[in-house]
Amino acid sequence: MNEPHNHTINNISDEVKRILYSAEAGHDWWHVFRVWKNAQLILSKEAEANGLIVELAALLHDIADPKFHDGDESLAPKMAENIMRKARVLPEISEHVINIIKHMSFKNQWDGLSWTSLEMQIVQDADRLDAIGAIGIARAFTYGGYKGRIFLDPDVPPIRKMTKALYTSSASPTINHFYEKLLLLKDMMHTDTARSIAEERHRFMVDYLNQFYSEFGFTPEWVTSQ
Ligand code: ADP
Ligand code: NI
């Protein structure tokens, strides 16, 4: 990465750190930091990708997550655009980054929108790696606690036929989120680098769930039938 790019990235990472430092622990500056580092690692194996676009999208992807802003999906692209304009990012780079931010969320798979790019796939993989493994477990329970959810209810099975409306309005126990999202991610990775890291983190979650049920006192029927 050349000097002016480094300068831009440093400026923008400082701004994101300032804005997200005290956010919910699963979507705070440290989540962005981990996604940024994951993205740099994947980028080192993907020679074709535009590094500036990947790093800016990783830094700005959760600048205003709709679930913390009454479902408003327009705020994040607007904030990202302003931050990039202030940092004098070229319009064609900024437009690509904004497209990534608009399209990369897990819930957008049900939108039927088909926009993608190699750079988006890298940032999506980087974000999804932070949703699984030890950190993924911590993030799920942090979000569940933030929303006042219980851990597990054997009478509330995970939703099998998911839609965007069901996903965003769900108030299910936190364990359900493993079956509705987290355990699905390893097969949704785009890059070989992310896929191999995901395998290990996935195994850790499966072990964790087995231990969880053994300490809880029972395994819900729907677990064995997944
Ligand atoms: P994306 O980051 O692709 O938009 P989500 O907003 O669905 O995906 O989720 C981001 C993270 O927020 C999840 O990986 C998880 O840590 C947490 N989270 C979201 N929904 C739930 C939920 N229902 N229960 C527990 N954690 C959740
Ligand atoms: Ni994220």
Side-chain angles (χ1 to χ4, degrees):
M1 187 92 17
N2 64 29
E3 264 312 306
H5 287 176
N6 267 339
H7 184 69
T8 307
I9 287 168
N10 288 342
N11 265 348
I12 291 185
S13 67
D14 284 350
E15 175 84 342
V16 174
K17 186 173 187 176
R18 194 181 59 73
I19 295 171
L20 289 181
Y21 199 83
S22 310
E24 181 257 7
H27 296 81
D28 63 351
W29 158 251
W30 293 112
H31 163 63
V32 172
F33 172 83
R34 294 186 300 266
V35 172
W36 183 25
K37 297 296 148 191
N38 291 341
Q40 287 172 343
L41 178 71
I42 301 169
L43 198 50
S44 68
K45 309 275 165 52
E46 302 289 329
E48 307 290 295
N50 180 312
L52 179 61
I53 292 174
V54 169
E55 294 206 41
L56 291 178
L59 284 168
L60 291 165
H61 82 280
D62 269 337
I63 198 66
D65 188 318
K67 62 182 159 314
F68 302 111
H69 295 91
D70 295 325
D72 184 352
E73 293 183 25
S74 68
L75 188 60
K78 267 187 260 164
M79 278 183 74
E81 190 178 7
N82 284 337
I83 292 169
M84 286 188 283
R85 194 179 323 106
K86 265 202 314 194
R88 298 180 190 280
V89 174
L90 290 175
E92 62 264 33
I93 300 281
S94 168
E95 268 165 39
H96 192 142
V97 171
I98 287 164
N99 261 324
I100 295 177
I101 295 170
K102 280 183 180 162
H103 292 93
M104 68 175 267
S105 175
F106 185 76
K107 64 186 178 310
N108 294 352
Q109 66 183 293
W110 300 292
D111 271 348
L113 302 174
S114 60
W115 189 90
T116 190
S117 69
L118 173 61
E119 287 78 9
M120 172 163 116
Q121 293 181 336
I122 293 172
V123 183
Q124 206 167 38
D125 279 7
D127 192 32
R128 287 173 173 175
L129 283 177
D130 205 54
I132 59 179
I135 295 281
I137 295 167
R139 291 181 71 213
F141 285 104
T142 298
Y143 186 76
Y146 173 83
K147 296 294 245 182
R149 310 247 170 96
I150 64 169
F151 292 159
L152 169 69
D153 181 341
D155 295 328
V156 181
I159 298 167
R160 285 161 184 280
K161 281 232 166 286
M162 190 57 87
T163 63
K164 183 167 176 173
L166 283 174
Y167 185 81
T168 51
S169 66
S170 164
S172 302
T174 300
I175 283 291
N176 294 32
H177 192 61
F178 286 77
Y179 299 91
E180 291 169 350
K181 177 182 177 189
L182 309 187
L183 293 170
L184 311 178
L185 293 178
K186 92 171 158 48
D187 294 328
M188 295 174 76
M189 297 294 171
H190 305 287
T191 63
D192 290 343
T193 311
R195 204 170 299 116
S196 82
I197 300 171
E199 295 281 346
E200 190 200 328
R201 295 189 184 187
H202 182 91
R203 268 197 298 277
F204 186 86
M205 288 195 296
V206 172
D207 289 348
Y208 172 82
L209 288 168
N210 287 332
Q211 179 75 17
F212 182 96
Y213 298 131
S214 110
E215 293 179 17
F216 208 94
F218 59 84
T219 304
E221 260 173 45
W222 41 260
V223 167
T224 43
S225 60
Q226 283 295 311

